[in-house]
Amino acid sequence: MKRDQWLAAPIRAGLATALLAVAGCGTDNSPAAGHGEPVVMGMTDKVVATDPAAGYDPGSWLLFNNVFQSLLSFPKGSTTPEPEAAESCGFTDTASRVYRCTLKDGLTFSNGDKLTSQDVKFSFDRTRRIKDKNGPAVMFSALDGIDAPDARTVVFRLKSPDATFPMKIASGAGSIVDHTVYPADRLRTDGKATGSGVYTLDSYGAQQAKFSVNPSYKGPAKVKNAGMTVKFFGGTDQLKKAVQSGGVDVAYRGLAMKDIALLDHSSLQQQHGTQVVEGGSAEVMHLVFNLDDPVAGKLGVRKAIAYLLDRPTLVRDVYQRTAEPLYSVVPAGITGHTTPFFDTYGDRPQPDKAAAALRDAGIQGKVQLTLWATPDRYGPGTVPAVREIAQQLNASKLFDAQVRSVPTQEYEQGTESGRFGAYVKGWIPDYPDPDNFTQPFFGKDNVLDNHYNSPVISGRLLPQTADQPNRGATKAAFRELQDIVARDLPVIPIWQGKQYAVARQGVSGLEWTLDSSTVFRFWEISKSAAG
């Protein structure tokens, strides 16, 4: 999300079947009926947009996933998309280029308007037409056109094979809007949202957003609360105090790593009546190299860094073990994951091998290197993590590395212009498939801006995997891709994150909101009257 929100599970055996023909399993046509107590949640992320054509960040997608329906959705604990607004979906050709969905009968938006195939076509066409720079239109670059031959049928025609298309439309980017309410060629700017999802957006402002259960929702979700209020906090300390004092029932996305670690290892009394809930995540962080840079562009320099990087120490000291060392561009829990960086460069510093790599490249003396970071885009641990990497390099006596930290706008300009030689980026996936950890980085018009191109990856492996509806059958190709990246070193994977939420006693269901689908499901959270 943008995902060069870069800040982020196992792919089940049934994925191949789901991609070929997603049938109406597990659905329930009864309307949602909220039970239990209302829940108050706090986070430091902001909701950047209430219009699905504009939002491409974790806060906005949290809203989209709860207020809007998509044709498909990710059930709790699963990375296999299943029907949501659709009754069934599937590819109608062996080339994975024509995707057909049949809508459930009787769908309505929260304002009472009927939801038909016209709204689905309108929603996708609108996102692509507006093409907001901060929106998800980039996810549908392979979409050629959409037909709505009748009120319940939608047919997507793709320019090229894309077996991951069901996952894309199951994400927040696939949100369906009312064609009579949303402008066709511009964003809605009144801060309101009209969807057919589990909740309605009652109010939205700088301090909080309020959600009610949508009585006309028709889908598989079973609502376990009477509504949600999300409060936005300006810093981690305020959020921590709010959950400890009972000002919020749940704290999500924004607590400091040290606070999570402290609470997680404290006694019940020391936790101030809170509990820490941990979930899986495919969020990752990479060190990226500009291959046109006079220093970072040298393979010998990049090899030396790979030999010197101490991930276990970094995740222990900087991230307080709230992350795991990552040794490949495809994270653990995702189809085809291997560990070529561990196999090639080890998990502890090897100064002798680093020195040999520099010597073989004809590099003498200390390498002068600047590592770039930003404090306000990828989490509070980013700058400390980059400083730790610089210290590790300098401890070898082979580098004279310094760290420069700049605001997000300057950081983005620096990476896009090629001014930075080495910089970090994080990634939260749009959908849990190896394609989403490789195509955006090594395909055409990739997001890294680092001047790397592998004809084998972009010309053979990525097209080959995109054409394979059985995602398990892509393992060999993705393993080859990961080996090439470990050899060429356009990036060095650093860590893979975990998801955490801190809740007051009496709150339950959070384990069903924290998985690698990145869908935070309001409806799974419940609170007892005493909570």
Side-chain angles (χ1 to χ4, degrees), residues 2-239:
K2 192 169 171 184
R3 286 337 231 189
D4 178 41
Q5 177 75 22
W6 277 90
L7 205 112
I11 299 292
R12 297 187 174 183
L15 177 57
T17 303
L19 291 177
L20 282 169
V22 180
C25 55
T27 59
D28 181 359
N29 292 331
S30 62
H35 299 287
E37 297 291 312
V39 177
V40 180
M41 186 176 83
M43 65 182 189
T44 58
D45 278 342
K46 301 300 182 184
V47 174
V48 175
T50 58
D51 188 328
Y56 202 20
D57 60 279
S60 298
W61 279 36
L62 180 145
L63 185 151
F64 300 160
N65 287 325
N66 288 283
V67 172
F68 298 94
Q69 276 187 301
S70 299
L71 291 167
L72 307 174
S73 64
F74 293 104
K76 60 183 181 182
S78 174
T79 54
T80 301
E82 293 183 1
E84 175 64 42
E87 183 178 273
S88 62
C89 287
F91 284 107
T92 62
D93 65 331
T94 57
S96 302
R97 293 182 62 169
V98 180
Y99 196 72
R100 183 186 185 95
C101 290
T102 301
L103 293 174
K104 289 189 176 83
D105 191 22
L107 293 173
T108 60
F109 290 102
S110 58
N111 61 1
D113 289 351
K114 290 184 178 181
L115 190 162
T116 70
S117 60
Q118 181 181 0
D119 297 293
V120 178
K121 172 177 168 55
F122 173 84
S123 300
F124 282 87
D125 286 344
R126 176 177 182 267
T127 294
R128 294 191 300 147
R129 182 184 303 113
I130 294 174
K131 205 175 183 178
D132 187 83
K133 66 177 182 178
N134 296 314
V138 65
M139 289 181 62
F140 301 115
S141 59
L143 188 54
D144 189 32
I146 310 169
D147 298 318
D150 59 57
R152 293 182 58 199
T153 304
V154 186
V155 180
F156 298 91
R157 291 176 282 104
L158 307 180
K159 300 173 187 175
S160 56
D162 184 3
T164 67
F165 188 70
M167 290 186 173
K168 293 176 180 177
I169 65 174
S171 73
S175 298
I176 303 169
V177 302
D178 186 339
H179 79 278
T180 67
V181 175
Y182 285 78
D185 56 0
R186 65 186 187 280
L187 296 175
R188 183 175 180 178
T189 58
D190 60 1
K192 297 181 179 180
T194 306
S196 58
V198 186
Y199 292 82
T200 61
L201 178 64
D202 296 338
S203 63
Y204 167 71
Q207 302 300 319
Q208 66 179 25
K210 287 192 173 183
F211 302 83
S212 294
V213 179
N214 178 8
S216 62
Y217 167 73
K218 192 173 186 179
K222 300 291 187 181
V223 188
K224 298 182 175 67
N225 57 64
M228 293 285 300
T229 296
V230 178
K231 294 185 177 181
F232 307 118
F233 291 83
T236 58
D237 288 340
Q238 297 97 309
L239 181 56

Side-chain angles (χ1 to χ4, degrees), residues 9-12 15-16 19 74 78-81 139 162-168 282 284 329-337 427-441 461-462 464-475 478 481-482 516-518:
I11 299 292
R12 297 187 174 183
L15 177 57
L19 291 177
F74 293 104
S78 174
T79 54
T80 301
M139 289 181 62
D162 184 3
T164 67
F165 188 70
M167 290 186 173
K168 293 176 180 177
V284 299
V329 291
V330 176
I334 299 296
T335 296
H337 165 74
W427 185 255
I428 301 176
D430 299 303
Y431 48 93
D433 186 89
D435 176 83
N436 199 228
F437 296 92
T438 52
Q439 175 71 37
F441 306 157
L461 295 177
L462 289 177
Q464 176 184 328
T465 55
D467 196 20
Q468 177 53 260
N470 180 355
R471 303 311 286 165
T474 65
K475 289 181 179 179
F478 280 115
L481 185 155
Q482 292 168 84
S516 60
S517 70
T518 71

Side-chain angles (χ1 to χ4, degrees), residues 341-359:
F341 280 80
F342 179 92
D343 301 336
T344 305
Y345 306 103
D347 67 336
R348 295 294 181 182
Q350 301 184 69
D352 292 344
K353 291 186 176 180
L358 294 174
R359 185 170 57 250

